[in-house]
Amino acid sequence: MTASERPLTAMIGLPDGPPDCAAYGRAGGWQAVRRALRDMTPDAVIDLVTASKLRGRGGAGFGTGQKWSFVPKDPAATRRKYLIANADEMEPGTFKDRLLLEGNPLQLIEGMIVAGYAIQAGHGVIFLRGEYHLALDRLNQAIAEAHEVGWLGDNILGSGFGFEIHVHASGGRYICGEETALLTALEGRRAQPRSKPPFPQVGGLWGAPSVVNNVETLCNLPHIVTNGADWFRALGIGPDSGTKIYGVSGRVRRPGAWELPMGTPLREIVEHHAGGLRDGYRLRALLPGGASTAFLDAGQIDVAMEYGAVEKAGSRLGTGLAILLDDRTCPVGMLHNLEHFFAQESCGWCTPCRDGLPWVERLLQAIESGTGQPDDLDRLHDHARLLGPMGRTFCAHAPGAMAPLASGLNLFREDFEAHIRQRRCPLHATA
């Protein structure tokens, strides 16, 4: 792929590290800010992003331009607005935003300036995963330089629009990936989701209109404004627009992340880019978009990695980074590990999540350790049935936790029964 076909990563991996402001400009950076602030109205930027069909890259896939359009435009609402970049990347198996943050932080900064101008927000916040120490250092350095040379601050390019960016290092809770819990945490309170309405676009951070966008989403904006909506739509090879940072973890030869056209077949990602499974291992199943997506079996590996196709196959695109399960890894043990994480990361606000997820974890622990009972499978199915549907909890945490469990109970029924019957893990017993 040429640099124009992989715009997000074209400047990542340079010998001297991330580009500074001058090098970024020589490689085509800052053109979007110039065009937006000099030649476009805020509404025109929103219309352009809407026409590009850019969808959120954080997992939900909501239309970015449509999300921005909900921000009030009346004069009373223009006094205080916020744009927040969600860089709290804690989804197990997901590391795409880290690549962008460490590799080219100025791309995110330019995208935030464009987004801030579109919604007329004067303040931006990057809510960063606390463990991303290198990203924190590079973001702070890039922000300081951008401010020094005039890309941030008051009256950018003499346009009358000013924009500031601050980095907030998270205390380290998975729930902060939920946008309203993130806003609550930024306000210095316990990270818990909020009731909706009001939605953040109307009443968000400190009650002001706020937009929360994923890092990868924002990094697409400079390229859309510079090259146009038609160009961006043409990058995809299916119904979805643009490129996507896909990735693979598990027992493959080359685990990692790669920028590819939206709609790239999963088989190509696993076999060509990740090099296939290591010798002696066979693919059994996979989570296509992080830990909170449903399992697909090995026979579904030809699915196109786009929103509609993955949903039709019975899962979600999610973050687009797949976790592979091989034939020498216990699926019950894998599910126990996942559900331990979800139970530990529940914010505790609502009963189904606070009490249900630890119960699921205890049942899986019993089955994995050899003390499980046959009716434990019925209890697990009950939890998947009751906690799985959206709308029964305050946020999507519990439904996300149930996605791998419900699909795993169906795909790996024989493994569960063997654990209970033999009172041990069959794989560990023969290892």
Side-chain angles (χ1 to χ4, degrees):
M1 294 174 67
T2 64
S4 64
E5 294 172 320
R6 51 179 185 87
L8 296 175
T9 56
M11 285 188 251
I12 293 179
L14 301 177
D16 297 329
D20 59 15
C21 283
Y24 182 70
R26 288 193 298 271
W30 307 123
Q31 292 185 45
V33 172
R34 289 190 183 96
R35 185 184 176 202
L37 270 59
R38 289 175 173 172
D39 303 329
M40 303 177 72
T41 65
D43 283 347
V45 177
I46 295 176
D47 291 342
L48 175 65
V49 173
T50 302
S52 75
K53 296 184 179 180
L54 172 65
R55 298 176 66 172
R57 301 302 201 233
F62 196 78
T64 304
Q66 184 181 6
K67 189 174 191 177
W68 292 355
S69 71
F70 299 144
V71 176
K73 299 176 183 179
D74 57 282
T78 62
R79 293 172 296 192
R80 186 165 53 100
K81 296 178 185 177
Y82 295 97
L83 171 74
I84 297 94
N86 187 347
D88 192 45
E89 189 173 48
M90 288 189 64
E91 179 79 5
T94 298
F95 42 89
K96 64 182 182 65
D97 295 339
R98 180 180 180 180
L99 173 70
L100 298 169
L101 293 164
E102 294 179 356
N104 188 5
L106 290 173
Q107 180 176 230
L108 173 61
I109 291 171
E110 184 176 17
M112 291 184 70
I113 298 170
V114 170
Y117 175 71
I119 65 171
Q120 289 292 282
H123 302 276
V125 179
I126 300 172
F127 192 96
L128 180 68
R129 178 176 176 177
E131 294 83 0
Y132 280 7
H133 302 298
L134 179 59
L136 176 62
D137 291 342
R138 291 183 172 178
L139 281 167
N140 282 327
Q141 181 180 347
I143 290 168
E145 186 193 8
H147 203 284
E148 181 180 349
V149 299
W151 292 111
L152 291 172
D154 297 330
N155 196 25
I156 302 170
L157 298 177
S159 64
F161 173 73
F163 192 70
E164 300 283 357
I165 296 178
H166 306 277
V167 182
H168 174 87
S170 169
R173 293 306 304 268
Y174 176 73
I175 194 62
C176 291
E178 199 277 337
E179 64 177 7
T180 62
L182 181 155
L183 296 173
T184 305
L186 274 178
E187 294 174 353
R189 297 184 285 130
R190 181 175 177 177
Q192 290 181 322
R194 302 178 181 181
S195 298
K196 303 175 186 177
F199 290 89
Q201 294 94 321
V202 176
L205 187 61
W206 292 297
S210 307
V211 167
V212 181
N213 285 136
N214 172 258
V215 167
E216 185 183 356
T217 307
L218 291 164
C219 286
N220 276 287
L221 299 177
H223 310 289
I224 293 171
V225 174
T226 300
N227 299 295
D230 292 342
W231 167 85
F232 186 75
R233 289 196 302 268
L235 290 176
I237 56 176
D240 294 324
S241 301
T243 60
K244 179 79 183 71
I245 307 288
Y246 294 112
V248 176
S249 59
R251 288 194 170 106
V252 291
R253 291 187 175 91
R254 295 188 300 273
W258 310 272
E259 183 182 5
L260 300 168
M262 278 290 276
T264 297
L266 182 55
R267 181 184 295 276
E268 178 184 331
I269 299 169
V270 172
E271 296 184 356
H272 177 69
H273 297 282
L277 270 74
R278 301 175 198 167
D279 293 341
Y281 294 94
R282 179 176 57 84
L283 178 64
R284 187 172 183 189
L286 57 93
L287 301 169
S292 59
T293 57
F295 278 102
L296 299 179
D297 64 37
Q300 296 172 290
I301 195 172
D302 290 306
V303 65
M305 287 291 278
E306 60 192 29
Y307 296 100
V310 179
E311 185 175 349
K312 186 177 180 180
S315 188
R316 295 186 302 110
L317 180 62
T319 61
L321 282 85
I323 304 172
L324 271 55
L325 171 68
D326 61 85
D327 61 337
R328 293 167 63 179
T329 297
C330 175
V332 178
M334 179 178 178
L335 279 167
H336 173 243
N337 186 46
L338 290 174
E339 298 305 326
H340 168 75
F341 171 82
F342 287 121
Q344 175 180 273
E345 292 298 328
S346 171
C347 78
W349 191 19
C350 55
T351 303
C353 189
R354 181 188 63 242
D355 297 341
L357 295 185
W359 192 357
V360 167
E361 181 194 358
R362 290 193 296 271
L363 290 169
L364 290 170
Q365 170 64 31
I367 294 171
E368 176 69 359
S369 64
T371 60
Q373 302 298 318
D375 61 358
D376 287 346
L377 296 182
D378 295 331
R379 300 291 80 73
L380 289 172
H381 276 291
D382 287 343
H383 278 85
R385 175 176 56 84
L386 295 171
L387 273 68
M390 293 290 292
R392 296 182 177 179
T393 52
F394 282 114
C395 76
H397 182 78
M402 292 300 98
L405 177 66
S407 55
L409 287 169
N410 292 327
L411 282 176
F412 312 124
R413 179 83 186 193
E414 292 182 1
D415 296 84
F416 279 95
E417 292 174 344
H419 276 71
I420 295 170
R421 185 174 60 254
Q422 299 179 27
R423 308 194 71 78
R424 63 184 181 182
C425 173
L427 282 177
H428 291 168
T430 58

